[in-house]
Amino acid sequence: MSETQYRWRVTCSVPESLMEAANHLAVAVGEMAGDFYTFTNANCQDADGNKYAVMSTVVTELFFVYSGSMLTKRDFAPDDWSFELASLAQSKVNLWMGPTEQQPDPPLANPRQIVGVVGDDAQAAISAMGLTAIPEEMD
Amino acid sequence: MTSLLMLLGDTDTNPRTLFANGEAGLAIDVEEAYLRRWIWQDANGQTVAAAPGDPVGLVLDSSRGGLDNLGPELVTNGGFDSNITGWTAIGGATNAWSSGTATSNYSFSAGGLFQDITTSANTVKVTVRAKSLGGSPLIWGIPRTGNFDSPHTIINVSGSEYVDYTFLVTRASGATGVRIYLNAGSSAGGIQVDSVSVRELPGNHAYVTASGSRPVLARTPDGGRRNLLINTDTMATQSVTVLAVQHTLSFRGTGTVTLSGASTSGPLVGTGASDIVSLTFTPTAGSLTLTVSGTVQLAQLETGAARTSYQKVGLTSDVTESGKRDCWGLLFDGSDDSLQTASIDFSATDKMTVMAGARKLSDVAAQAIAELSTAYSSNNGSFLLQAGGLFDVDRQNYVIEARGTANTWLQARQYTSPITNVVLALIDLGQSGTINELGLRINGAVGATVTNSATDAGTGNFGNYALYIGRRAGTSLPFNGILYTLIIRGATTPTGTIADFEKNLLARRCGVQI
């Protein structure tokens, strides 16, 4: 059996105001055209009531290469993909790679930043960012 | 040598037998999909999901036979035996026939040849034998006829030798077919195509087109996961969420594990490379950090007062145990993972059988395991199989909810996560009263502590809707758990058949005894 190349999980919180830009960034660091629709629903909130879209996914090493480099238009990018918006989102990313002496815990979600947490447990990452799901009405 | 048939189990519980009379529905059997390589990382069926941890963008519905049951050839003049008739030129490319092939060369702008193909199945399998003539040639699979709308499959054709490019295209909602576009590219060079084949792939296959929303291929041992740690062969510092119950930590080696957070018991100090040491303690509920120094191997943290057989955990998606068979499923992260099908036409029936083998990992919120339509509660003739109860104070449940013309529900209570269950729901909109319209069985028996709505579901047949798996409409009620098997059958199912499938297929696939 082969081993997966998807050895990392990244869980991101995107403030409502950055969702559009984050979708352009998702295309630049992602794998397919559908990544343009990664952040569609701000259904989590922080303690102050700020809303966020949350995404968790497994990634390969390429994710870190793309996200840390000058962005380029990918083959599958839609015609209306914007380098400027993707770059704007990239400039707002705070990616926590794991505990260090300086930062032992993941950062809290921030209404002015896209926070990414590298770790195997999506729910633990969401909780560590101080986010909870916004209750949904059920019938 | 073990045959594939033996691995797949008793042919009497082959899901295909449930659909022999043309019943609408689907059968997602992850173990079969894994063994037969009917599961891919991408929605276009190009890269097989072959290892635990691989994301899954497409898994085949095996109810119609999958790739064993392809339909007839749909392409007109796919062999280019004597000309390129049947293919339409577009854009600034020069198209020609040459010795049994079609060539398309960039001239002054992007262009090439395309063909619109009408299909009665939602998905087609496409194979294009092509090579590059330089530049940046492409093959596009477009999910509708009549235009070049995205999203679509885009394949880069490279190399001067012929390669068979195989992919799947699922037509868009409301579309009557797909478009195949042989694109010379947008720079000097072009594409040479020896053959094109398009054949229907019957069934309602489950896919997702955003890479971040893909569930993950997972394996767990028969009997379920006990070891709460990850990377256990050689453990590193990590944190886990624990309940306020007795736990046992154990490992082999000369290192030390120090606990903090939910417990400060210990530390547990290793006594040698071959010695197993253990520590039993009761934490508070919350996050427990295990700080490792030195060499700590074969580490295990589990509930209970004693170490049990070692379970090797790589990532959360890969848990194995010596002597136990692997159970293959899709791990949904409880955040944004989901799959969906094209519309499934259930309009000829008012009866439904829903079978799932699943492990739910959380009871903190309502979670959609499978839902017909974007929301059952606002679409006549639909249903929702839900993990997590209807009410905030009572989430340890499974719920079947349905709507003929009004919403009704029935729930089986007190299945506290983490737990693995065979869940079976029966719906008959032709009956009166919720208790007659809905049925729910858990692990082969009528669900415990059943409660139900007082409202009748009304009448009518089920609708023609997409089925959403793991998330309502792909946007809300995310499922946190592993789905091993999902069978949706637009018909009532005999009691004996149900019992057979519960015991011999679903329970086996998810690793529970019933």
Side-chain angles (χ1 to χ4, degrees), chain B residues 158-326:
Chain B
S158 59
S160 57
E161 301 294 327
Y162 280 113
V163 173
D164 287 328
Y165 296 94
T166 298
F167 55 97
L168 306 179
V169 183
T170 297
R171 64 183 183 179
S173 177
T176 57
V178 301
R179 172 171 286 191
I180 305 301
Y181 178 26
L182 312 172
N183 186 336
S186 54
S187 58
I191 187 171
Q192 186 161 11
V193 182
D194 182 64
S195 62
V196 180
S197 170
V198 179
R199 299 176 67 182
E200 289 182 350
L201 176 56
N204 298 296
H205 314 296
Y207 66 94
V208 61
T209 56
S211 60
S213 295
R214 294 174 293 181
V216 167
L217 182 64
R219 66 173 167 178
T220 54
D222 188 21
R225 176 182 179 180
R226 300 184 306 278
N227 193 347
L228 302 175
L229 303 173
I230 62 170
N231 298 321
T232 55
D233 270 3
T234 301
M235 182 187 170
T237 296
Q238 57 192 271
S239 297
V240 297
T241 302
V242 293
L243 300 172
V245 298
Q246 195 173 48
H247 285 68
T248 296
L249 170 68
S250 57
F251 67 84
R252 188 181 77 180
T254 56
T256 298
V257 176
T258 304
L259 305 183
S260 58
S263 174
T264 55
S265 297
L268 182 59
V269 181
T271 56
S274 302
D275 300 339
I276 298 285
V277 293
S278 66
L279 170 70
T280 297
F281 61 100
T282 300
T284 57
S287 180
L288 175 69
T289 297
L290 302 97
T291 302
V292 175
S293 62
T295 302
V296 173
Q297 297 177 314
L298 309 187
Q300 182 146 305
L301 175 67
E302 59 200 305
T303 58
R307 176 180 169 107
T308 61
S309 299
Y310 173 64
Q311 291 188 329
K312 175 182 176 179
V313 185
L315 298 172
T316 299
S317 53
D318 191 10
V319 185
T320 55
E321 183 175 346
S322 179
K324 298 288 181 72
R325 68 185 295 274
D326 296 332

Side-chain angles (χ1 to χ4, degrees), chain A residues 4 35 55-56 120 123 136 139, chain B residues 54 211 316 333 336 377 476:
Chain A
T4 186
D35 293 342
M55 181 275 295
S56 182
D120 194 46
Q123 295 304 312
E136 298 175 56
D139 300 280
Chain B
D54 281 349
S211 60
T316 299
D333 63 21
D336 63 334
S377 51
S476 62

Side-chain angles (χ1 to χ4, degrees), chain B residues 56-57 206-210 212-215 332-333 335-340 468-476 478:
Chain B
V56 173
Y207 66 94
V208 61
T209 56
S213 295
R214 294 174 293 181
F332 293 80
D333 63 21
S335 168
D336 63 334
D337 291 348
S338 66
L339 297 168
Q340 73 167 90
Y468 294 89
I469 302 168
R471 216 174 179 211
R472 166 171 281 182
T475 60
S476 62

Side-chain angles (χ1 to χ4, degrees), chain A residues 1-7 9 30-35 37-38 40-41 43 54-58 75-76 78 120-124 126 136-139, chain B residues 34 41-42 50-55 156 209-212 214 216 219 230 315-316 328 333-337 376-377 384 386 401 407 471 475-477 480:
Chain A
M1 182 189 302
S2 60
E3 285 197 4
T4 186
Q5 299 300 305
Y6 290 82
R7 296 198 300 271
R9 174 173 286 277
E31 299 184 18
M32 51 188 72
D35 293 342
Y37 306 97
T38 297
T40 58
N41 193 5
N43 53 8
V54 171
M55 181 275 295
S56 182
T57 186
V58 291
D75 289 343
F76 51 77
D120 194 46
D121 187 336
Q123 295 304 312
I126 293 168
E136 298 175 56
E137 282 192 19
M138 291 294 295
D139 300 280
Chain B
Y34 165 75
Q41 297 181 22
D42 57 289
D54 281 349
N156 294 295
T209 56
S211 60
R214 294 174 293 181
V216 167
R219 66 173 167 178
I230 62 170
L315 298 172
T316 299
W328 292 86
D333 63 21
S335 168
D336 63 334
D337 291 348
Y376 96 93
S377 51
L384 165 64
Q386 179 182 313
E401 293 155 84
N407 301 337
R471 216 174 179 211
T475 60
S476 62
L477 307 184
N480 183 8

